[in-house]
Amino acid sequence: MEKPFISIVIPVFNAGSTILQAIEACKSQDYPADRIEIIVVDDGSTDNTKEAAVRPDVKYIYQKKSGPASARNNGFKNAKGDAICFTDADCTPDTGWVSKLVNHYYAEDTGAVAGSYDVYGSPYLLDKFVHYEIRDRHSRMPEYVNSFGTYNVMIKRNAFEAAGGFNPEYCNASGEDTDLSYRIIRSGYKIYFAKNAFVSHKNILRLLEYFDVQFRHAYWRMKLYKAHCPMIAKDEYGYWKDFLEVFLAMGAVFCLFFNLEIASILAIALFLIQLSQAVKIAVQGKNILYAGFSFVTFIRVFVRIAGGAFGFIRFWIFRMG
């Protein structure tokens, strides 16, 4: 049986320093080269992205800045593949990435195959800590999941079309992948989670930048939850810790105005949850310094709540977007 033709779509914005490495990794797959095409959609870059991405064996598409959801839709419209693999411009797929995703192509009820996360040789402890945290979450997830990340997913053409593609209203890189996941499931398809299909993410995270990303994710989550309210408690990426820490943090903030003692107790309980997770990662990573990131994840909870609050006001109260 002939292998399915695969289109790899990479949206890019001002990633001239990383896009070539992503392209080379896609060209180095252990999948038949004549059954793969690589499409780079430049979302209005102003750096040297075009010079880095334009290659004889790469389909380069430039568009006016419209956001990653729009760029991925544009890539799909120009793709010939039976299925489309999406990754990001700062990602490096493993050599067997496409093959491991395609292994699950022939299951008729499977509309998408999601892969897992690795970190690309970053010297920064925060990057590595986030890597361990995500891998821990992935280890808890079942064979079939309700959502995927667009840094590592294969979507069948018919499933993409049935779901209507990405919603371009998500003009930032946040929420558009989960939104499409939910619509693919609503269309009657399943999402398989291939835990052995890895893509390395070349994060170079700084603390304030990381908090900004967390704020943005929580902000756009409110739009996502407004559109898919029944799915809030069904996302396997989250688990009891996520719900409990939101309850504790909101309770602590509320009690600040009425009872400092109760607020302190709730804050301490919240910190102990973060500490236990950070210590677990310190043991896994064999580096006691990871335990110190309990302070980072403690602050992160409040950053997420702030982002969610602003998003709730915009999308739920004022119904803007």
Side-chain angles (χ1 to χ4, degrees), residues 1-313:
M1 182 183 296
E2 188 175 39
K3 292 181 179 292
F5 190 89
I6 300 298
S7 300
I8 300 176
V9 172
I10 311 172
V12 58
F13 173 71
N14 285 354
S17 62
T18 61
I19 184 60
L20 181 57
Q21 185 167 342
I23 290 171
E24 292 300 323
C26 291
K27 289 167 60 177
S28 301
Q29 294 296 301
D30 63 2
Y31 198 78
D34 63 345
R35 303 299 294 166
I36 287 183
E37 67 171 350
I38 300 171
I39 302 173
V40 173
V41 183
D42 187 343
D43 189 37
S45 294
T46 57
D47 66 351
N48 65 329
T49 289
K50 182 177 180 179
E51 289 75 11
V54 171
R55 294 289 182 274
D57 47 1
V58 173
K59 185 181 293 184
Y60 173 85
I61 302 168
Y62 181 86
Q63 68 173 37
K64 183 180 178 181
K65 185 89 171 74
S66 305
S70 173
R72 293 188 185 99
N73 285 340
N74 198 352
F76 174 82
K77 290 175 184 176
N78 288 275
K80 300 184 297 182
D82 303 305
I84 290 78
C85 288
F86 291 98
T87 190
D88 290 336
D90 59 348
C91 287
T92 307
D94 283 2
T95 304
W97 174 57
V98 169
S99 295
K100 290 172 181 176
L101 294 177
V102 169
N103 281 341
H104 309 280
Y105 174 85
Y106 296 100
E108 291 185 7
D109 60 350
T110 297
V113 183
S116 193
Y117 178 98
D118 206 348
V119 68
Y120 180 80
S122 173
Y124 299 103
L125 281 179
L126 179 57
D127 293 353
K128 295 178 180 178
F129 178 86
V130 170
H131 156 70
Y132 280 115
E133 189 177 31
I134 293 174
R135 291 291 295 273
D136 180 62
R137 288 178 180 272
H138 282 185
S139 70
R140 303 168 184 268
M141 292 168 65
E143 187 176 21
Y144 288 93
V145 295
N146 288 329
S147 66
F148 53 70
T150 41
Y151 65 92
N152 185 351
V153 67
M154 179 190 75
I155 307 175
K156 291 182 182 178
R157 174 172 290 276
N158 54 357
F160 191 95
E161 291 173 342
F166 291 96
N167 183 350
E169 291 180 1
Y170 290 89
C171 52
N172 289 295
S174 187
E176 77 281 4
D177 43 10
T178 307
D179 173 73
L180 179 57
S181 305
Y182 292 163
R183 285 186 283 112
I184 285 175
I185 290 173
R186 191 182 298 166
S187 299
Y189 293 97
K190 294 181 179 179
I191 300 171
Y192 185 85
F193 184 34
K195 296 184 180 182
N196 65 340
F198 289 106
V199 161
S200 297
H201 211 144
K202 193 176 182 180
N203 284 325
I204 303 178
L205 294 173
R206 298 295 187 270
L207 191 58
L208 292 180
E209 178 190 9
Y210 179 64
F211 286 147
D212 178 65
V213 169
Q214 295 301 307
F215 181 94
R216 187 176 73 241
H217 285 340
Y219 179 88
W220 286 99
R221 279 267 154 184
M222 293 301 104
K223 176 178 176 62
L224 179 71
Y225 290 154
K226 186 173 182 292
H228 306 281
C229 199
M231 300 297 291
I232 293 176
K234 295 181 181 180
D235 189 346
E236 298 89 354
Y237 188 76
Y239 62 106
W240 64 266
K241 172 181 174 290
D242 300 300
F243 296 101
L244 179 58
E245 65 184 24
V246 169
F247 172 79
L248 291 173
M250 292 182 67
V253 172
F254 179 79
C255 289
L256 275 176
F257 301 97
F258 304 101
N259 192 313
L260 287 177
E261 183 177 349
I262 295 178
S264 299
I265 292 171
L266 293 174
I268 291 170
L270 175 63
F271 179 76
L272 290 176
I273 291 174
Q274 309 308 314
L275 180 62
S276 64
Q277 175 74 2
V279 168
K280 178 182 178 181
I281 290 175
V283 173
Q284 291 176 344
K286 299 179 181 179
N287 190 334
I288 191 62
L289 293 178
Y290 288 132
F293 284 100
S294 53
F295 294 98
V296 174
T297 57
F298 178 79
I299 297 171
R300 181 181 68 186
V301 178
F302 294 96
V303 171
R304 287 174 172 173
I305 288 175
F310 278 95
F312 184 82
I313 292 170

